[in-house]
Amino acid sequence: MKKVYQAVSEMVLPAIVFSAVVSILVGAALFARIGGRMETAGEDFSQMADAQTVQALCERELPIIQCVGKKRWEAGECILVREVFTALDMDGNFIEPVVLDIIDQDGESAMECYNKEIGQVIFPARGIYTFLLSATDEQRKRSAVKISLLVDGR
């Protein structure tokens, strides 16, 4: 039995050492390729309809939001957002601007003055109010701007 153990140990130890050496060599060869660029046969997808559609969407300009009404109002006066602000997409189509926030001159939110259902703002006091507006076109291109209005009864 002693001879069997000795014969097995003489074969097992070199096998373990051989396996370890082979594993190290294979691992080193694989680590050399990590992060490398894989070379494959290239295809040109630029002429496909999907690629052209994506390119057209990427090149599309953002909607333009601007103030078309007067910029000076009186305290207590009704301001209809759709009459004061307008947004146009790249094709010239009208987009309804969305009021994200209204900030007063102290940096506080004045959204309590805004009636979202009818798109109306009535400011109770004088000051400078900044509208944060956004517009999203049919292709989901979105722009956001800040436009300030003066509320002063002088």
Side-chain angles (χ1 to χ4, degrees):
M1 191 72 165
K2 218 176 190 184
K3 288 184 179 182
V4 172
Y5 283 129
Q6 187 177 8
V8 170
S9 65
E10 288 175 1
M11 289 189 302
V12 170
L13 185 59
I16 292 173
V17 171
F18 177 75
S19 299
V21 169
V22 169
S23 298
I24 291 170
L25 292 175
V26 170
L30 292 176
F31 279 128
R33 293 180 173 227
I34 289 180
R37 186 172 182 179
M38 191 168 110
E39 296 296 326
T40 59
E43 288 189 46
D44 182 19
F45 295 105
S46 63
Q47 300 306 315
M48 296 186 140
D50 289 349
Q52 292 173 354
T53 302
V54 169
Q55 183 175 358
L57 287 174
C58 290
E59 292 173 354
R60 189 170 177 82
E61 293 181 23
L62 297 174
I64 298 171
I65 306 169
Q66 56 190 355
C67 181
V68 293
K70 63 183 185 176
K71 285 191 157 190
R72 186 174 183 167
W73 299 84
E74 293 187 26
E77 190 174 355
C78 175
I79 301 171
L80 292 173
V81 173
R82 67 179 169 272
E83 292 178 1
V84 177
F85 303 110
T86 187
L88 298 174
D89 68 5
M90 183 176 147
D91 302 323
N93 299 320
F94 175 76
I95 304 169
E96 186 78 31
V98 177
V99 177
L100 301 175
D101 200 2
I102 302 171
I103 308 295
D104 66 13
Q105 60 195 15
D106 298 324
E108 303 291 326
S109 179
M111 284 297 284
E112 68 275 358
C113 301
Y114 177 60
N115 184 335
K116 186 176 182 176
E117 288 81 35
I118 57 176
Q120 172 183 311
V121 181
I122 300 175
F123 294 113
R126 296 183 344 196
I128 298 173
Y129 295 90
T130 303
F131 284 75
L132 177 58
L133 303 162
S134 75
T136 306
D137 68 9
E138 292 178 359
Q139 282 71 34
R140 294 188 174 176
K141 284 286 195 169
R142 181 179 180 266
S143 62
V145 296
K146 292 180 180 178
I147 300 176
S148 296
L149 299 181
L150 175 64
V151 177
D152 187 16
R154 291 187 247 171

